Amino acid sequence: MNDIILKLEQLGFSSYEAKAYYALIRKYPSNGYEISKIGKIPSAKIYETLNRLKIKGAIIESATEMGKYYPIPSETLLANLKQEFTSMIQDLEKQLKQTEPLPDIDITLNFSGYETFIEKAMGIINNTNISLLVSIWPDEEVLLHDAIAKAKKRGVTVIAGVFGNSTMESSDYVNLDSCGISSQARLGKRLTIVIGDSKEVVICEIGENGEADGVWTTTPSIILVAREYIKHDIWGKVLIDTIGKEKFNTMCNNNEILSYLIENR
């Protein structure tokens, strides 16, 4: 009995409805009191339950015997349910096919831990198909070197700012050692960034003891800021190398805005 009632519930019957229908299958015609007793349904709920079953078309009330009920034959009930479910599934199938997908949702994940940073950076590099833009330190460059080399073999354009010497091909990176010294002294941490295809970025601050806190995100505005930060460092280094450090310092000292930004960075 329990299995039959469970299956009726799975087909949309409430527990009381399933018990009442099954009680009528076992003994009909029956009145509300008898159905309540056979199905173990509270008497206060029986007529409400029978009314819902009539609406469902699962039972009928006798036109000649007052208060007596008959079940719709099980084969008829199941055929009707099958037709209803088939129609419902067909309608749902059409509606699902017509449902417009949501636009890409930007995702941001804050994390802690050096290993997590390396894992996220590796993931971005391995997922990159067009361009890889990185700002890294020698310690991290050693760990990411093989993944970066494989990306280049896939045809990925690699541009890197490395705060020190690098094992990468010289055409792929700019040595930002002088920038790194002042940056680490000012911040007390190594800021490291990996951007893949301008679609995802991992940004991480790494402390002297190896503690690391960062963010991985697909948010375009954060990717834009990170990309411009790396470009700024690379352009600045190339500019200094081109005009010389003395002329660069003179230019900064003579420009009120540049002087303010350098003194208050």
Side-chain angles (χ1 to χ4, degrees), residues 3 19 56 62 79 87 104 113 133 135 147 153 155 163 171 189 198 212 216 229 236 241 244-245 254:
D3 189 52
K19 290 176 180 178
K56 286 179 181 285
S62 174
S87 177
D104 290 339
L133 188 59
S135 176
K153 285 184 179 179
F163 297 103
S171 59
K189 296 182 178 181
S198 293
W216 170 89
Y229 167 83
D241 289 346
K245 193 168 185 179
N254 292 336

Side-chain angles (χ1 to χ4, degrees), residues 218-235:
T218 60
T219 302
S221 57
I222 298 178
I223 295 172
L224 173 63
V225 172
R227 190 172 66 239
E228 292 303 307
Y229 167 83
I230 297 175
K231 288 161 60 177
H232 167 272
D233 272 357
I234 293 175
W235 285 338

Side-chain angles (χ1 to χ4, degrees), residues 59-154:
I59 67 172
I60 57 174
E61 187 172 1
S62 174
T64 58
E65 299 175 274
M66 184 65 65
K68 293 284 188 175
Y69 298 87
Y70 290 80
I72 295 296
S74 58
E75 59 272 19
T76 303
L77 175 68
L78 294 177
N80 292 340
L81 288 173
K82 183 177 181 180
Q83 184 176 358
E84 289 177 11
F85 272 87
T86 300
S87 177
M88 187 187 306
I89 289 171
Q90 290 173 344
D91 289 343
L92 179 59
E93 184 178 21
K94 291 178 183 177
Q95 292 169 354
L96 288 173
K97 286 181 179 179
Q98 294 171 356
T99 300
E100 293 290 335
L102 288 171
D104 290 339
I105 299 174
D106 300 331
I107 303 172
T108 299
L109 171 69
N110 296 310
F111 65 85
S112 296
Y114 188 77
E115 291 183 357
T116 301
F117 160 67
I118 295 298
E119 178 185 336
K120 291 296 180 186
M122 285 281 196
I124 289 178
I125 295 168
N126 292 335
N127 289 335
T128 300
N129 296 309
I130 300 172
S131 65
L132 181 67
L133 188 59
V134 300
S135 176
I136 54 179
W137 297 72
D139 288 351
E140 287 67 55
E141 191 270 332
V142 170
L143 297 176
L144 300 176
H145 176 271
D146 289 348
I148 293 173
K150 289 179 181 178
K152 181 156 188 186
K153 285 184 179 179
R154 295 198 304 271

